[in-house]
Amino acid sequence: MEKSPENAGPAAPLKLFGSWASSYTHRVQLALRLKGLEFEYAEEDLGSKSGELLRHNPVYKKVPVLVHGGRALPESVIILQYLDDAWPETRPLLPADAFDRALARFWCHFADDKLGPAVGAVFASTGEDQEAAVRQVHENLALIEAELRDGAFKGRRFFGGDEVGLLDVVLGCGSYWLAVFEEVTGVRLVDADAFPLFHAWLRDFEALEEVRETIPAVDRLLEYARGVRHMLLGLAGAGAAAATPAEAPAAAAPAPAPAADIAVDI
């Protein structure tokens, strides 16, 4: 990752490299808006990534990348925490209490390590494999519902309290895919009766002005999701025909980009 020899103070310009359909990009865009920070946005074609993006993120070669005063930082959750550290006078994403901060980080990891991949598996599969993935999604949502009902987040409107915090941004920028996936696959993932607190949280999150400014229009997401699902199922079919046993492709970024980049997880 390229590093400028000059120090990047708070007044130094911010530039975000991202992709319009990437939930990880949306996390950073939303955080910047919540904090009232001005930034330049550079849309990346994930099928033909720019030399500038590859120079700034030679390790993973993915979006988002935030460049602050010439210094580049990848990975959405790391960027969000950096924004809190670099601009402490703005609206905080992490709580002041050390334990609460650690707890928020734990559940952010859960979202990326457990819930997101399970949702992606529902989207990229059919039949018995999809049924198993749906059960995993519901098991993961049940864990979050329990935390909202009886655990660390009991009685809160948002995971961050009265206002959205780090975990709200991480979970929320991706949860809108649940409704999109339900429309595309015909599989119900979030039942208001089964997960009433999670469902209420999601409605409140999606109603925020900054969220509405960040998340693309549903019809555009639906069109994109249908194309991605068609591609993923096609890859799965091709793999089944070419090998025994077949290996299902990992989650992927916007078609027709390589399968390793599809930004459709929660």
Side-chain angles (χ1 to χ4, degrees):
M1 289 166 284
E2 194 171 77
K3 179 178 178 180
S4 169
E6 300 177 0
N7 290 327
L14 289 165
K15 183 174 183 178
L16 174 63
F17 292 82
S19 173
W20 73 270
S22 165
S23 58
Y24 303 107
T25 297
H26 300 155
R27 292 174 179 180
V28 182
Q29 290 174 316
L30 177 57
L32 289 165
R33 290 187 171 110
L34 289 170
K35 288 179 168 293
L37 298 174
E38 295 185 3
F39 64 99
E40 176 187 354
Y41 178 71
E43 175 71 17
E44 280 288 329
D45 177 359
L46 299 186
S48 180
K49 297 172 184 176
S50 71
E52 195 172 5
L53 173 67
L54 298 178
R55 186 173 71 252
H56 287 313
N57 188 7
V59 178
Y60 293 109
K61 302 178 175 62
K62 293 183 178 182
V63 296
V65 173
L66 183 70
V67 179
H68 179 206
R71 300 192 296 181
L73 192 63
E75 297 296 310
S76 63
V77 175
I78 292 173
I79 293 172
L80 299 186
Q81 295 180 71
Y82 172 73
L83 294 177
D84 251 14
D85 292 338
W87 285 272
E89 74 284 357
T90 62
R91 179 175 173 176
L93 297 175
L94 281 164
D97 180 78
F99 182 83
D100 288 343
R101 292 165 74 90
L103 197 64
R105 292 185 179 109
F106 169 81
W107 285 104
C108 286
H109 178 73
F110 171 86
D112 284 345
D113 184 59
K114 302 286 284 186
L115 182 57
V119 173
V122 173
F123 187 66
S125 62
T126 58
E128 293 182 359
D129 289 343
Q130 188 180 66
E131 291 174 3
V134 170
R135 287 194 295 272
Q136 189 173 9
V137 170
H138 288 166
E139 289 171 4
N140 290 329
L141 288 176
L143 292 172
I144 297 175
E145 183 74 16
E147 288 297 315
L148 287 167
R149 183 181 61 249
D150 302 314
F153 309 113
K154 180 179 179 180
R156 297 185 184 184
R157 181 186 179 195
F158 298 109
F159 292 100
D162 293 333
E163 294 186 334
V164 298
L166 180 73
L167 181 55
D168 295 283
V169 172
V170 169
L171 268 178
C173 290
S175 290
Y176 54 86
W177 280 113
L178 293 169
V180 173
F181 287 2
E182 288 177 357
E183 178 71 21
V184 173
T185 65
V187 176
R188 187 74 178 271
L189 292 177
V190 180
D191 189 322
D193 293 330
F195 310 109
L197 297 177
F198 181 85
H199 187 269
W201 162 79
L202 183 56
R203 297 288 80 79
D204 285 345
F205 177 82
E206 291 176 338
L208 295 173
E209 180 181 354
E210 295 89 349
V211 173
R212 294 197 303 269
E213 292 174 356
T214 301
I215 305 306
V218 172
D219 57 350
R220 191 181 182 196
L221 289 172
L222 281 170
E223 181 181 5
Y224 169 76
R226 290 188 179 104
V228 171
R229 178 166 165 81
H230 179 77
M231 183 185 71
L232 289 175
L233 294 181
L235 289 172
T244 304
E247 292 185 358
D261 283 333
I262 292 185
V264 294
D265 35 355
I266 190 170

